[in-house]
Amino acid sequence: MLQKPRNGACASAQAHSSRDLGPVGDTGVLNVSSGPSSSKDTLNSSSQGSHSSQTATYPGLRTQKQLELKVAELVQFLLIKDQKKMPIKRTGILKHVIRDYKDIFPDLLKLAVERLEYVFGYKLVELEPKRNTYILVNALEPLEEDASVRGDQGTPTTGLLMIILGLIFMNGNGIAESEVWDFLQRLGVYPTRKHFIFGDPKKLITEDFVRQRYLEYQRIPHTDPAEYQFQWGPRTNLETSKMKVLKFVAKVHNQDPTDWPAQYCEALVDEENRASPELSGPILSS
Amino acid sequence: MQGSTRRVGIMTDIHRRFLQLLMTHGVLEEWEVQRLQNHCFKVHDRNAAVEKLEDFINNINSILESLYIEIKKGITEDDGRPIYALVNLATTSVSKMATDFAENELDLFRKALELIIDSETGFASSTNILNLVDQLKGKKMRKKEAEHVLQKFVQSKWLIEKEGEFTLHGRAILEMEQFIRETYPDAVKMCNICHSLLIRGQSCETCGIRMHLPCVAKYFQSNSEPRCPHCNDYWPHEIPEVFDPEKEREAGVSKSTRKSLRSRQH
């Protein structure tokens, strides 16, 4: 839909939903207009150049600068979305960023992916094949020492998540919800009680972590009252591994991963599969 | 075209980790940036000599240029300490802060921003800001809620609060200077010395020119008879000290103590 330019400046893409783009990371990098009803519509582009709604209707007449800006927008969008750990939908990308550059979407995405990797060290990965949702996976190894120079305390919930991932794996890749709470209660985390770090632990575990695709939360069939079980979600397999989780569990117990031979073997097989994916069979249901 | 003649640097994992961790902060003081750089060098290449910070950042900025962002350096308006933030170069509109704030919260910020810019002191009172809650776009907000939102802005370093009044944090100025100058060209104040946006500072009572506190400090350093650079009248305000990072480290003064020592000036 063509936007009428206002004040000679180009309203085009920017005049859409005022929530399109926002800060890069936590740094609050500026972007986007203040919305169509703003009286001060001198916004969007700087004096250097502008998104022209007119040229956008003639693909191929886009300037180098416009293309660069579009890629820049896309990179920022992906970084921001990932900051919240919410999977990024392809439809979202098209709607909020690409818009009338749809015809060259694959090229724009390719450039953005390259920049994300080269500049920031993040890989854009498909969460589940054919689902058209993506996440960013860190190409750099996160280190414990990073914690002292981070601005956002990482996610304090990461520790809790790791514990649950450990419980799931050690229990044979699936565990009933009731057993998870039995364990967590020993740590002072209750489903019905507000926690001073985690807030609402029940919501965090059964909703937030699931939405972020770290966990799967499914009803166990034929249970009444309904019982649920946890499994690893698709993001977990992309961001960590069985071996890493086993090492975490071992560390917590002050033991060695090999002290759990069954899990250790399973983790080794998983490592091999990761190294040479073409040799692995159908996706293991873990 | 911009940057075409500038040699573009090279990214290594040191730079990438630095950027990743930098992005977890809204704004950093220089010593924090230095510490971050040291950390990244140590992690990736213990033996490499840590590059001079300025060169390191310029190198990264030469690569960020094509993405229309940069690591920008500024100084705080109250005591002239250097700060850094990752800012967007492509647009000049108000930061959405969209992932963290709702539409009505952002509008509250905009209202506070306008009051701050229009004020003589660079401060907007809590009362005056809260009186505007009925005019906000988006979901209706009560005053009590608005108070809470203002505190959120303080915590995330968009605003500074002093005795019930609010002004812009150095971070907001770094991010939004261009936008503010373009959106409020008649209301903005500028510093006579550095010619940048001025929210808080000192002004000459005779001719009205304004200067940032750190600019005053530098300009009148070791001058026993400070005079207005414009009209030559005696400068009537207390001349602050030039920021000295060494002195601060030696004093070992805690952040909270320093905050209470800073006084507001017109």
Side-chain angles (χ1 to χ4, degrees), chain B residues 171-230:
Chain B
R171 175 195 186 176
I173 296 173
L174 261 182
E175 300 262 7
M176 301 175 198
E177 169 158 6
Q178 204 179 350
F179 166 73
I180 292 172
R181 286 166 74 155
E182 289 177 16
T183 314
Y184 310 101
D186 304 319
V188 286
K189 304 166 188 78
M190 308 295 286
C191 174
N192 194 260
I193 301 296
C194 69
H195 308 293
S196 303
L197 175 69
L198 183 143
I199 299 291
R200 286 180 286 160
Q202 294 179 351
S203 60
C204 175
E205 280 165 9
T206 313
C207 67
I209 62 129
R210 297 168 191 271
M211 289 159 60
H212 291 117
L213 294 170
C215 294
V216 167
K218 256 210 195 123
Y219 188 76
F220 291 132
Q221 199 175 13
S222 52
N223 183 336
S224 49
E225 258 205 44
R227 289 181 168 278
C228 172
H230 191 249

Side-chain angles (χ1 to χ4, degrees), chain B residues 57-209:
Chain B
I57 290 184
N58 285 341
N59 179 37
I60 296 176
N61 277 339
S62 69
I63 296 161
L64 293 180
E65 212 173 338
S66 66
L67 291 173
Y68 295 87
I69 53 180
E70 78 166 337
I71 302 169
K72 197 164 166 198
K73 180 179 175 181
I75 54 169
T76 58
E77 280 192 323
D78 40 21
D79 52 7
R81 58 185 65 234
I83 53 171
Y84 293 77
L86 190 63
V87 302
N88 193 322
L89 298 174
T91 67
T92 59
S93 51
V94 176
S95 162
K96 276 318 198 163
M97 310 183 245
T99 48
D100 299 332
F101 299 105
E103 190 189 356
N104 57 1
E105 293 172 328
L106 294 169
D107 209 35
L108 182 69
F109 182 82
R110 206 172 284 123
K111 292 272 184 280
L113 175 67
E114 287 172 1
L115 286 176
I116 287 167
I117 291 168
D118 284 334
S119 77
E120 180 53 36
T121 59
F123 280 89
S125 74
S126 175
T127 317
N128 288 345
I129 300 172
L130 295 176
N131 281 339
L132 300 172
V133 284
D134 292 327
Q135 299 172 27
L136 296 179
K137 293 182 207 162
K139 196 166 140 216
K140 187 163 166 64
M141 190 191 290
R142 280 182 296 262
K143 278 194 184 169
K144 210 69 192 124
E145 203 187 325
E147 273 178 17
H148 180 64
V149 175
L150 287 175
Q151 286 313 310
K152 275 213 281 182
F153 289 140
V154 171
Q155 272 151 36
S156 41
K157 304 201 177 154
W158 293 105
L159 294 177
I160 293 173
E161 184 188 2
K162 275 200 176 100
E163 296 158 19
E165 298 203 310
F166 294 91
T167 186
L168 291 187
H169 196 285
R171 175 195 186 176
I173 296 173
L174 261 182
E175 300 262 7
M176 301 175 198
E177 169 158 6
Q178 204 179 350
F179 166 73
I180 292 172
R181 286 166 74 155
E182 289 177 16
T183 314
Y184 310 101
D186 304 319
V188 286
K189 304 166 188 78
M190 308 295 286
C191 174
N192 194 260
I193 301 296
C194 69
H195 308 293
S196 303
L197 175 69
L198 183 143
I199 299 291
R200 286 180 286 160
Q202 294 179 351
S203 60
C204 175
E205 280 165 9
T206 313
C207 67
I209 62 129

Side-chain angles (χ1 to χ4, degrees), chain A residues 157-173:
Chain A
T157 52
T158 309
L160 183 63
L161 176 61
M162 276 307 268
I163 291 171
I164 296 170
L165 294 178
L167 285 173
I168 294 169
F169 176 54
M170 301 308 279
N171 199 57
N173 300 308

Side-chain angles (χ1 to χ4, degrees), chain A residues 14 18-35 37-40 42-49 51 64-66 68-69 71-73 75-76 79-81 83-84 115 117-122 138-143 145-152, chain B residues 1-2 9-13 15-28 32 35-36 39 43-44 63-69 85-103 106 110 114 137 156 158 171 175-179 182-184:
Chain A
Q14 259 67 353
S18 50
R19 296 181 60 84
D20 291 356
L21 292 167
V24 172
D26 196 17
T27 60
V29 173
L30 298 192
N31 220 321
V32 198
S33 60
S34 41
S37 49
S38 163
S39 53
K40 306 249 186 215
T42 50
L43 29 80
N44 337 147
S45 347
S46 60
S47 48
Q48 297 159 318
H51 294 283
Q64 169 75 4
K65 174 122 192 180
Q66 286 173 310
E68 273 187 6
L69 278 165
V71 173
E73 259 185 77
V75 168
Q76 283 174 40
L79 283 168
I80 294 161
K81 278 288 183 184
Q83 192 204 345
K84 295 283 170 182
R115 284 284 92 186
E117 237 185 289
Y118 181 69
V119 179
F120 297 96
Y122 290 119
N138 202 340
L140 302 177
E141 195 65 43
L143 301 165
E145 305 98 295
D146 282 346
S148 58
V149 289
R150 288 190 77 99
D152 60 357
Chain B
M1 196 147 150
Q2 88 216 65
I10 300 190
M11 290 299 276
T12 68
D13 279 351
H15 303 93
R16 292 181 192 108
R17 188 173 296 270
F18 178 83
L19 257 186
Q20 283 192 13
L21 292 168
L22 182 74
M23 291 197 298
T24 64
H25 297 264
V27 63
L28 283 163
E32 291 175 298
R35 185 179 64 155
L36 182 58
H39 167 84
V43 159
H44 285 282
I63 296 161
L64 293 180
E65 212 173 338
S66 66
L67 291 173
Y68 295 87
I69 53 180
L86 190 63
V87 302
N88 193 322
L89 298 174
T91 67
T92 59
S93 51
V94 176
S95 162
K96 276 318 198 163
M97 310 183 245
T99 48
D100 299 332
F101 299 105
E103 190 189 356
L106 294 169
R110 206 172 284 123
E114 287 172 1
K137 293 182 207 162
S156 41
W158 293 105
R171 175 195 186 176
E175 300 262 7
M176 301 175 198
E177 169 158 6
Q178 204 179 350
F179 166 73
E182 289 177 16
T183 314
Y184 310 101

